[in-house]
Amino acid sequence: MPPSKDLHAFKKVLSASKNIIVVAGAGLSAASGIPTFRGSGGMWRKYDAMSLATPESFAENPSLVWQFYHYRRESALKASPNAAHVALSSFTIPKVRERIAPGSDFTLITQNVDGLSPRSNEQVFAQAGVTVPDTPPYLIEMHGRLFDIKCTQCDHVEFDTSSPICEALAGTEALVEKKELDANIPIENLPRCRKCGSLARPGVVWFGEVPHDMPVIDKLVEKADLCLVIGTSSAVYPAAGYAAEVADNGGTVAVFNFERTPGDEDVDFLFLGGCEEWLPKALSLAEEVPVS
């Protein structure tokens, strides 16, 4: 049986669910102007992920990697949360969720590193005048944060939204689109650790590294009775396996995505199109807190 497109049927399932998780990918931020990694026009069409997002690549060419991540930082700083972020933030608030899915818990597990989900939460919670309990965690950034700067020697991590992160990178974001990156910026001019002065790296989780909060995520996935997969190609593990695990445990899976992806013929619900349009309607939050 093909996945259902019945929004009313989805809302009935949502209202009866008690342990709800969202697994989000780059498509969640697409409407905010953040380039996606895969799909038509995706950033990875110009740059091979494996050549820019591994510890080995950084060790070989930190200048090239830092220019790419500087570009991503600058793009994220210019972006604002979209209606999909806001809908998820609103759904995070217990008193709002009680009207929609009474007695439920909710956690957003995002693969995104752009910081738009926490920024949306901050804005929406402030506008609603609430403090949301952090048990269970309402947001897990499993691949880290783009604005974390991590020392390569002492492992000191510092959150830094400076633009640019160092003078040597100023203006290099314009070179990314032209594919004219300068691989020869001296290491001593790249970002440094403020604690020990050693070379720093982007604080994101690279291929071959362990995502954050895995034991917590595993427990949430194990008990989830509803999983919303939002804006992800389901190609990067372990996140790609979460929906299947929820389904194997008897839970319901709903996918919100731009286009068809492998495996989505086996899910319960499939809503194709921009998640910024679908999510406010699916979560019955179309009239909730607007994007500021």
Side-chain angles (χ1 to χ4, degrees):
M1 181 181 298
S4 172
K5 302 177 183 178
D6 188 335
L7 194 59
H8 178 71
F10 168 77
K11 289 184 177 183
K12 286 187 65 176
V13 172
L14 176 65
S15 69
S17 299
K18 300 303 179 186
N19 297 291
I20 305 166
I21 62 171
V22 162
V23 179
L28 175 61
S29 296
S32 296
I34 302 293
T36 57
F37 292 169
R38 294 176 173 84
S40 58
M43 190 182 294
W44 289 149
R45 290 170 61 88
K46 298 179 181 178
Y47 296 97
D48 176 16
M50 296 304 292
S51 72
L52 293 167
T54 68
E56 294 79 13
S57 296
F58 184 76
E60 179 181 348
N61 198 332
S63 173
L64 187 66
V65 173
W66 255 121
Q67 286 174 81
F68 183 66
Y69 278 90
H70 167 71
Y71 169 80
R72 294 184 62 188
R73 286 169 57 92
E74 294 300 304
S75 297
L77 285 171
K78 295 174 184 176
S80 298
N82 64 58
H85 293 111
V86 172
L88 292 172
S89 295
S90 298
F91 192 73
T92 301
I93 299 173
K95 66 180 181 181
V96 173
R97 194 171 62 253
E98 188 66 20
R99 303 197 310 262
I100 303 161
S104 63
D105 287 329
F106 172 71
T107 299
L108 166 58
I109 303 167
T110 183
Q111 300 170 81
N112 296 336
V113 297
D114 53 41
L116 291 179
S117 287
R119 281 167 56 189
S120 175
N121 284 349
E122 183 178 346
Q123 294 170 11
V124 171
F125 297 172
Q127 290 177 24
V130 300
T131 299
V132 177
D134 58 5
T135 303
Y138 55 83
L139 173 64
I140 296 177
E141 296 170 282
M142 65 180 297
H143 288 169
R145 304 188 297 184
L146 193 57
F147 299 102
D148 276 345
I149 309 302
K150 183 178 180 180
C151 181
T152 57
Q153 297 299 317
C154 72
D155 287 334
H156 174 70
V157 177
E158 188 166 327
F159 187 78
D160 189 338
T161 57
S162 299
S163 174
I165 185 61
C166 71
E167 288 304 316
L169 293 172
T172 61
E173 65 272 18
L175 301 177
V176 173
E177 293 292 348
K178 298 178 182 179
K179 206 172 182 180
E180 298 174 353
L181 298 185
D182 180 5
N184 298 310
I185 296 176
I187 287 181
E188 60 267 23
N189 293 338
L190 293 174
R192 317 299 294 184
C193 173
R194 293 184 181 178
K195 185 175 180 180
C196 75
S198 300
L199 177 66
R201 53 159 278 184
V204 299
V205 175
W206 281 331
F207 291 101
E209 297 180 330
V210 178
H212 298 318
D213 301 312
M214 287 303 299
V216 177
I217 293 174
D218 288 343
K219 290 180 180 179
L220 290 168
V221 172
E222 183 179 2
K223 71 176 184 178
D225 54 5
L226 175 61
C227 176
L228 279 60
V229 179
I230 300 173
T232 175
S233 61
S234 296
V236 177
Y237 284 83
Y242 293 154
E245 183 176 343
V246 171
D248 288 345
N249 291 337
T252 300
V253 176
V255 171
F256 298 79
N257 219 340
F258 289 115
E259 54 193 7
R260 297 297 299 260
T261 56
D264 64 19
E265 68 275 2
D266 298 322
V267 305
D268 300 286
F269 294 93
L270 176 61
F271 302 102
L272 296 178
C275 57
E276 73 279 3
E277 299 178 2
W278 274 115
L279 278 182
K281 294 185 291 186
L283 298 178
S284 300
L285 291 169
E287 303 301 323
E288 286 292 332
V289 185
V291 180
S292 61

